[in-house]
Amino acid sequence: MPARPRRSCLTVPGSNARMLAKAATLDADEVIVDLEDGVAVAEKEAARTRAVSALRRGLGPTTALRVNGRGTAWWEDDLGAAAEARPDVVVLPKVESPEDVAAAAELLPQAIGLEAQIETARGLVEVERIAEAGHGLEALVLGPADLAASLGIPVLTIGAGSMDYALARIAVAARANGLQALDGPWAVLDDEEGLLASARRALAHGFDGKWVIHPSQIGPVNEVFTPGDEELARAERILAAGDGALRHEGELVDVASRRLAEALLARGRAAGR
């Protein structure tokens, strides 16, 4: 799997100079400059220019540019801007086929990685094929709002509605192909309880991190996706308990338990623990 930490991925509209400047001072693992849904149509061109400047200055440990989708009037120019600015990653929205990934990769330097957003019923049906696309693909991202609209889920809040099936299917496709899995945002600001519930649901499906839309969401999301001291200590004790099936701290542990412990310790190392 890619080594980049992606516990919290902060999305920032490319049209907002103030937010772009602040993003560089925050503790998000990844900063995504958005040229798609976060930017009004009339501001697309100016946002692209501002995004290139911000990405060249540097915004965080991992920088990303979300372009407009294949087939839109801005797609090729956005990818051209990415080739110029050289972010670590380009985020591709509304991916529905491996060809969407390949078409973008043809217009980008090989050093730039890709993340594919799964945001439509068609994209979810094709997620296994998309995960096999290659071309520098590093992660699959659940896009909850557009997916809910595509599925006809009657909600009005980004991140609301039942997404367990989509989370599970994206997680399996990602892991089977050595990719990371990322959850989309929780849009209710000043609702830490709802944010934590959403993040924990994604973690319970094996996700590596979550998109955030406000600085106040970064810390709580980082904490959810970072194993705690007791979890890490218990994982170490399981590995030290011995081989075969045995009773340990009131539970049966065996070889599968040790694989769980190794996976949790790997998650901790990725988070810098």
Side-chain angles (χ1 to χ4, degrees):
M1 286 180 46
R4 307 182 200 274
R6 285 186 168 104
R7 297 167 301 169
S8 57
C9 303
L10 176 67
T11 61
V12 183
S15 54
N16 192 313
R18 180 184 62 83
M19 292 177 67
L20 286 169
K22 186 172 183 178
T25 70
L26 301 173
D27 292 328
D29 286 341
E30 179 172 295
V31 175
I32 303 165
V33 181
D34 186 19
L35 298 180
E36 200 219 10
D37 287 352
V39 177
V41 170
E43 298 180 343
K44 294 285 190 185
E45 305 296 333
R48 186 185 303 122
T49 300
R50 188 173 287 114
V52 170
S53 177
L55 289 166
R56 282 176 167 172
R57 291 195 305 269
L59 293 172
T62 296
T63 57
L65 181 68
R66 179 164 75 159
V67 299
N68 287 278
R70 185 184 182 194
T72 66
W74 309 284
W75 183 69
E76 289 193 13
D77 287 339
D78 287 353
L79 290 172
E84 179 183 353
R86 299 294 180 104
D88 297 304
V89 178
V90 166
V91 181
L92 305 176
K94 300 175 180 65
V95 174
E96 295 188 327
S97 70
E99 290 74 25
D100 289 344
V101 178
E106 287 180 3
L107 300 177
L108 292 170
Q110 288 187 354
I112 297 178
L114 298 173
E115 297 177 14
Q117 285 192 278
I118 308 302
E119 303 186 88
T120 65
R122 174 57 59 188
L124 190 57
V125 166
E126 296 289 342
V127 68
E128 289 83 11
R129 293 182 61 237
I130 292 167
E132 296 171 350
H135 298 290
L137 187 63
E138 296 184 7
L140 301 178
V141 185
L142 170 62
D146 283 302
L147 183 57
S150 178
L151 296 174
I153 299 173
V155 297
L156 295 174
T157 297
I158 296 172
S162 176
M163 287 287 154
D164 286 331
Y165 173 74
L167 286 164
R169 189 158 178 180
I170 289 169
V172 171
R175 289 294 185 264
N177 291 279
L179 308 179
Q180 289 178 309
L182 305 174
D183 191 18
W186 176 251
V188 185
L189 303 177
D190 301 319
D191 176 22
E192 186 168 316
E193 183 178 344
L195 173 69
L196 291 173
S198 180
R200 289 166 180 156
R201 178 184 65 176
L203 177 64
H205 284 84
F207 274 53
D208 298 283
K210 183 174 181 64
W211 281 26
V212 296
I213 57 174
H214 190 274
S216 66
Q217 296 181 332
I218 295 171
V221 167
N222 279 347
E223 185 173 353
V224 168
F225 288 97
T226 302
D229 291 341
E230 177 52 34
E231 290 177 292
L232 294 170
R234 184 175 179 222
E236 294 283 8
R237 293 196 301 271
I238 288 172
L239 291 180
D243 295 331
L246 52 89
R247 183 184 179 114
H248 177 72
E249 297 181 3
E251 292 186 19
L252 169 72
V253 298
D254 60 10
V255 174
S257 305
R258 283 180 273 281
R259 292 193 188 105
L260 290 172
E262 289 166 352
L264 188 135
L265 290 170
R267 185 182 287 272
R269 288 191 295 273
R273 296 300 308 275

